[in-house]
Amino acid sequence: RFGEGGDYHNEGKKYEKNPSGFREWCNTLDDYFYMQEFILYNMDVVTAIKRIPCHSEFLLYGMWHNAAFELAPKMNMEVMQLHTEDFHHDMDGNIDKLLSFYNLKRTPGSSPPPYQMLETSAYYNSEEKVLISSFLKVISSQASWKEIKRYLPPPELSDTDEFHHIGSILSPQHYGEWPYVAWLMSFPNSGTFFTTQLLQIASRTTTATNYALEVGPRYMDIPNFQRTNEGPFRTSTRPLPKSYILTKTHCTGRCIECSPRQYITHLSDFVNGCAHGARFGDDGRGVRPVQYGQYAVKKAVHLIRNPFDNVVARFHFAYKNHQAGGGNQADWGGFTYDKEGFKQWCNHWDNKFDAEEKELFPEPVYQKMRTVPCHAEFYSYIQWHNNAFSIPSAVHITSYVIYYEEYATKLQEILKNLLTFLELSLLGRISEFHYSGGYPDYYTNEERVQIVEFIKLVGSEQTFNAMKKYF
């Protein structure tokens, strides 16, 4: 860029095209925007970037490549990446690649001009190169950093406080070389724990969660996503994966023992809910909600469990929660941890919000609800999966569906597909899966018929087709 001139805002001043002229040009640029940078950023950022020669040029370079790498997927374009310097090492090979990409043929007898490599070793000292590398790491997207780090020494300062300020302020959506998020979307009690443990042990990498409370107070001690304090949160000290980190989310519309006003959820709220979570307060006490941007989410794993079993598992969760002193104790009727307790629990909640259900649901849905045990649970389940199946098209990501029960018969196949989907390798052992066979005696045949009809009535085509295997 310096060699192309650059007196556009330097009052016509010319610079010698050598290291001294370059240094003078950089100093002029760095001083020219000082006041504007001071206004836009904070003093920590301004102080840090002043140590980087031509910092505005490197900022433009990083941001330009971030945008370029984001543009192609959004426009569904085929992309070929070329490193200019590769023409010096293999001119003919790279020309052939370029011609092939454009479906062109080389003109017989043509020969390209020689490529002149620009020698820049004298333009930066070793300390400046480390500063530049650290600067580019914290402002670059994962895709950008993957391609440009070949030119740079290992960054040494990208994890320090001053560079944290740079990354979080100048490029919050791309701070650091972090894996993209792959949501593990699961309706509660559908096999999330086994899935995350299976992946962590098999890949020897960590997973993440939207809910720091599940990690416990030690989450403060685990190196975390530095791009934000709003999650996701690492669940272990295992290494971060290179490409995608499986991140637990229950999204929203999945409350238990609650009013329909709380669980009826539209797709837009569901999408936001998938990036919603909670962490401890800044003093380590209390709980506060968190919400991170969806820019880092590129994939989703959609976990499905047999609806009949999933609802029973929810009852078991409610039982244990009440036994531990949680939930609304006044609404817990001493239900036992068995089939009879389940039926009594369903009957209690089936009558709890009848007036609200009649007001909020269309008449056909309301009438069918009257025939379905635990109808609020089944409605939440169906609605949740309707929304989950809509996520890929709503936020333009790819998804992979896992049926929880198939771990019993297809464990290795599912794991292989999951590792491929997340661009991970099998490095550890494969966990055993113990399947009890579900709860076939918790429903009568007539109840099962009514539940299937309810799923068909309320479920989307995708949801109903996905559930057919359980009917």
Side-chain angles (χ1 to χ4, degrees):
R1 293 264 286 181
F2 165 67
E4 296 172 357
D7 56 354
Y8 47 91
H9 52 53
N10 294 333
E11 300 176 355
K13 185 173 182 179
K14 301 295 183 180
Y15 303 95
E16 294 182 16
K17 292 186 177 180
N18 57 33
S20 296
F22 173 73
R23 181 67 50 162
E24 189 178 358
W25 182 68
C26 284
N27 289 339
T28 304
L29 283 177
D30 292 343
D31 292 339
Y32 190 84
F33 295 111
Y34 175 79
M35 286 307 300
Q36 289 163 280
E37 290 170 343
F38 183 78
I39 293 169
L40 288 171
Y41 315 138
N42 61 31
M43 181 54 74
D44 291 328
V45 171
V46 172
T47 301
I49 62 179
K50 283 291 286 183
R51 298 161 57 197
I52 301 166
C54 276
H55 59 259
S56 61
E57 286 292 306
F58 284 107
L59 177 61
L60 284 171
Y61 173 90
M63 295 300 188
W64 189 94
H65 284 289
N66 289 349
F69 276 108
E70 290 177 2
L71 178 65
K74 288 181 179 178
M75 299 188 69
N76 198 28
M77 295 190 300
E78 185 181 356
V79 176
M80 174 188 177
Q81 294 169 14
L82 280 176
H83 289 263
T84 306
E85 294 76 14
D86 289 345
F87 284 108
H88 175 72
H89 305 297
D90 184 11
M91 174 67 80
D92 288 333
N94 280 280
I95 288 176
D96 288 340
K97 285 167 57 179
L98 190 59
L99 291 173
S100 175
F101 182 73
Y102 284 109
N103 293 319
L104 297 172
K105 294 182 179 180
R106 189 187 287 246
T107 303
S110 63
S111 60
Y115 178 77
Q116 299 294 325
M117 282 284 289
L118 180 64
E119 178 53 56
T120 61
S121 59
Y123 283 68
Y124 310 95
N125 62 43
S126 58
E127 180 184 354
E128 288 171 338
K129 289 178 181 178
V130 171
L131 281 166
I132 292 165
S133 177
S134 301
F135 179 59
L136 286 173
K137 182 177 180 183
V138 298
I139 66 169
S140 296
S141 66
Q142 182 197 16
S144 295
W145 178 252
K146 181 180 178 182
E147 296 301 324
I148 65 177
K149 66 181 180 181
R150 62 186 282 186
Y151 303 117
L152 302 162
E156 297 178 2
L157 304 170
S158 54
D159 293 329
T160 64
D161 287 342
E162 63 176 351
F163 275 77
H164 167 77
H165 289 304
I166 291 174
S168 61
I169 291 176
L170 297 186
S171 186
Q173 70 274 41
H174 296 306
Y175 176 41
E177 186 193 16
W178 289 88
Y180 290 123
V181 170
W183 278 333
L184 175 57
M185 300 189 301
S186 62
F187 192 70
N189 307 104
S190 59
T192 314
F193 179 77
F194 178 79
T195 303
T196 55
Q197 290 302 301
L198 172 71
L199 187 70
Q200 288 193 108
I201 293 170
S203 68
R204 293 182 178 172
T205 61
T206 188
T207 57
T209 177
N210 284 5
Y211 317 106
L213 308 184
E214 296 178 343
V215 185
R218 69 187 182 90
Y219 95 92
M220 296 289 289
D221 302 322
I222 300 175
N224 231 316
F225 278 92
Q226 297 175 23
R227 63 162 71 94
T228 173
N229 290 323
E230 307 301 293
F233 307 99
R234 289 171 70 168
T235 56
S236 76
T237 55
R238 291 182 175 95
L240 282 164
K242 295 296 184 183
S243 298
Y244 301 94
I245 186 166
L246 191 66
T247 301
K248 173 182 174 179
T249 177
H250 293 314
C251 303
T252 191
R254 37 78 178 187
C255 62
I256 192 169
E257 299 180 337
C258 59
S259 157
R261 297 186 190 278
Q262 294 172 271
Y263 63 73
I264 294 175
T265 306
H266 299 291
L267 179 59
S268 58
D269 296 324
F270 187 84
V271 172
N272 289 331
C274 291
H276 182 83
R279 70 174 177 87
F280 294 99
D282 294 332
D283 58 357
R285 302 177 186 176
V287 177
R288 80 171 187 81
V290 295
Q291 179 92 31
Y292 56 87
Q294 295 159 18
Y295 46 77
V297 182
K298 302 298 181 184
K299 293 188 175 186
V301 174
H302 181 173
L303 187 58
I304 299 174
R305 185 177 185 180
N306 182 321
F308 302 101
D309 294 344
N310 207 157
V311 171
V312 175
R314 293 263 282 175
F315 163 67
H316 290 162
F317 170 82
Y319 176 90
K320 293 173 184 176
N321 187 42
H322 283 290
Q323 291 299 108
N328 184 350
Q329 295 296 320
D331 264 318
W332 189 253
F335 309 117
T336 53
Y337 194 79
D338 55 21
K339 179 173 65 175
E340 291 308 312
F342 172 70
K343 289 183 176 296
Q344 292 168 9
W345 182 71
C346 288
N347 185 63
H348 173 78
W349 289 101
D350 284 344
N351 294 289
K352 177 76 173 178
F353 296 107
D354 181 68
E356 288 182 44
E357 291 168 351
K358 190 169 186 178
E359 173 191 351
L360 295 173
F361 291 110
E363 184 65 17
V365 174
Y366 170 75
Q367 291 299 332
K368 177 54 70 174
M369 277 180 158
R370 300 294 93 203
T371 69
V372 173
C374 271
H375 58 251
E377 283 295 309
F378 279 102
Y379 183 89
S380 295
Y381 174 96
I382 301 163
Q383 173 193 244
W384 192 97
H385 285 288
N386 287 348
N387 285 325
F389 276 116
S390 298
I391 281 284
S393 59
V395 297
H396 310 293
I397 59 177
T398 55
S399 66
Y400 171 57
V401 175
I402 294 176
Y403 292 93
Y404 172 72
E405 294 77 15
E406 290 186 350
Y407 280 134
T409 56
K410 300 179 179 179
L411 178 60
Q412 293 195 21
E413 178 185 338
I414 292 171
L415 177 59
K416 180 182 177 181
N417 292 339
L418 181 60
L419 290 169
T420 300
F421 183 69
L422 299 175
E423 299 181 11
L424 293 168
S425 300
L426 178 59
L427 300 175
R429 64 180 176 85
I430 301 176
S431 304
E432 293 184 6
F433 179 72
H434 302 285
Y435 181 50
S436 65
Y439 308 95
D441 61 334
Y442 274 56
Y443 306 88
T444 66
N445 289 336
E446 177 58 27
E447 286 172 339
R448 286 179 177 272
V449 169
Q450 295 300 328
I451 291 166
V452 171
E453 291 179 356
F454 188 53
I455 294 173
K456 187 172 184 178
L457 175 65
V458 179
S460 66
E461 182 177 359
Q462 275 185 294
T463 299
F464 185 72
N465 288 337
M467 303 304 156
K468 280 182 179 178
K469 63 190 286 128
Y470 300 119
F471 305 153

